[in-house]
Amino acid sequence: MTEPAVGPELLQPREVPLGGQRALMVRRTLPQRARSLIGAWCFADSFGPTPAASARTMDTRPHPHTGLQTVSWLYAGKVEHRDSLGSLAYIVPGQVNLMTAGRGIQHSEVSTEDARGLHGVQLWVALPDASRGTEPLFEHYVPHPLTHGDATVRVFLGELLGLSAPLTTFSPLVGAQIDLPAGGEVRLPVDPAFEHGLLIDAGEPALNGVVVAADQLCYVPKGSDELVIRAGDAAVRGLLIGGEPLGEEIVMWWNFVGRSHDEIVGFRQEWQAEVIAAGDPAGRFGVVRGYDGDPLPAPVLPNAALQPRH
Ligand code: MN
């Protein structure tokens, strides 16, 4: 039996407070009940624009990750990244910070006081089971803008239009910023083995005929070899994410991606024992140096067993 043809599907954002007292509100489009993954992309938060006068609107204390890559991408502002590999890196719009957590890492992300407002996205990519124990790695890249049709395209991860970002990936995927002027159109040839999502920041374009509003994520199942994006009366800015379906069940909780409830419990215990209680630089998560403050304790686990997503 063949699967029924399914058209593009609109996924709505939900507001989530990030961090503690001076929480930054983010708009989360992945994961959600209707969809956990697009390719290996498993998490998408949009934030800002924050008021220009407010300094340090993002102050994410050192926290752990496992089994994933974090992708930080800005439309405005500046963010400082520190991690337990000793990396210190800044991003401004048009630059990507890619952190491969692999077996375990910790990092802090802070918007700097010289930034005028903050506006951007944080995305996660789940690592396939065969690669998720890899050593942690940090990479920074500035993609060259490419013109295709009426669009300006910045390929910040994976491959699109024959252009490949020179960053480490563990499954076939794409991440790119797409900009279109008002009334513009672009036809993007894509791999039909990929499923895709278009996360709109500005404008209200049609993607393969479906109108997508700001902060919506439009999902296109695999089988399409072309994505047609038409701008309406306003200029469009959005992110295209996609990839081959991961084809694995994952368990996501807090900042960890694993494969079972018990594995996540173990990651949490190691974080609490080695970092929050003891500060063991030889532990799984190492030590972040230069951040003004303490690492973030893990929340309490829910009573019910964590359920796998696919
Ligand atoms: Mn993080």
Side-chain angles (χ1 to χ4, degrees), residues 66-102:
T66 57
L68 57 84
Q69 294 176 296
T70 64
V71 179
S72 301
W73 183 259
L74 297 179
Y75 301 126
K78 185 174 179 180
V79 168
E80 174 201 272
H81 161 99
R82 293 175 186 271
D83 66 39
S84 48
L85 298 169
S87 314
L88 170 58
Y90 295 86
I91 47 166
V92 294
Q95 308 183 344
V96 64
N97 274 352
L98 175 69
M99 187 182 78
T100 301

Side-chain angles (χ1 to χ4, degrees), residues 52-309:
S54 69
R56 283 178 73 104
T57 47
M58 176 185 284
D59 188 353
T60 313
R61 293 156 63 184
H63 60 279
H65 287 291
T66 57
L68 57 84
Q69 294 176 296
T70 64
V71 179
S72 301
W73 183 259
L74 297 179
Y75 301 126
K78 185 174 179 180
V79 168
E80 174 201 272
H81 161 99
R82 293 175 186 271
D83 66 39
S84 48
L85 298 169
S87 314
L88 170 58
Y90 295 86
I91 47 166
V92 294
Q95 308 183 344
V96 64
N97 274 352
L98 175 69
M99 187 182 78
T100 301
R103 62 182 301 277
I105 198 168
Q106 60 165 310
H107 74 146
S108 61
E109 286 183 295
V110 178
S111 50
T112 60
E113 308 207 31
D114 57 353
R116 290 179 179 276
L118 183 68
H119 187 190
V121 292
Q122 164 111 165
L123 306 162
W124 297 355
V125 177
L127 300 181
D129 192 49
S131 308
R132 67 196 185 91
T134 191
E135 289 301 310
L137 178 68
F138 177 80
E139 296 163 279
H140 175 91
Y141 173 58
V142 185
H144 190 72
L146 168 80
T147 302
H148 185 79
D150 296 326
T152 303
V153 178
R154 289 173 170 82
V155 183
F156 57 77
L157 196 64
E159 194 175 330
L160 183 70
L161 297 168
L163 226 87
S164 194
L167 297 174
T168 307
T169 53
F170 297 87
S171 61
L173 55 80
V174 59
Q177 180 175 328
I178 313 284
D179 288 89
L180 270 177
E185 178 187 302
V186 64
R187 310 178 82 90
L188 296 168
V190 292
D191 188 334
F194 280 23
E195 49 189 355
H196 290 91
L198 184 67
L199 177 59
I200 293 301
D201 177 66
E204 197 165 306
L207 169 62
N208 290 2
V210 173
V211 175
V212 192
D215 291 325
Q216 289 180 336
L217 174 62
C218 186
Y219 170 74
V220 181
K222 65 179 183 174
S224 290
D225 60 6
E226 186 178 59
L227 301 177
V228 182
I229 309 171
R230 285 197 184 92
D233 297 335
V236 169
R237 176 164 63 191
L239 296 188
L240 178 68
I241 58 175
E244 288 184 6
L246 185 66
E248 296 177 21
E249 289 198 330
I250 62 173
V251 176
M252 276 180 72
W253 179 77
W254 195 40
N255 293 302
F256 303 127
V257 172
R259 289 299 182 276
S260 70
H261 172 89
D262 290 347
E263 187 181 36
I264 299 287
V265 170
F267 290 150
R268 182 187 183 281
Q269 278 172 353
E270 281 184 67
W271 173 253
Q272 293 297 105
E274 293 177 2
V275 179
I276 301 303
D280 175 8
R284 178 189 296 271
F285 300 108
V287 171
V288 173
R289 299 191 192 282
Y291 177 84
D292 184 18
D294 293 327
L296 189 66
V300 175
L301 278 156
N303 286 321
L306 301 167
Q307 294 301 310
R309 300 167 174 274

Side-chain angles (χ1 to χ4, degrees), residues 16-26 46-48 50 57-60 111 118:
V16 180
L18 191 75
Q21 284 188 320
R22 299 159 69 197
L24 176 67
M25 291 305 290
V26 302
S46 306
F47 49 83
T50 58
T57 47
M58 176 185 284
D59 188 353
T60 313
S111 50
L118 183 68

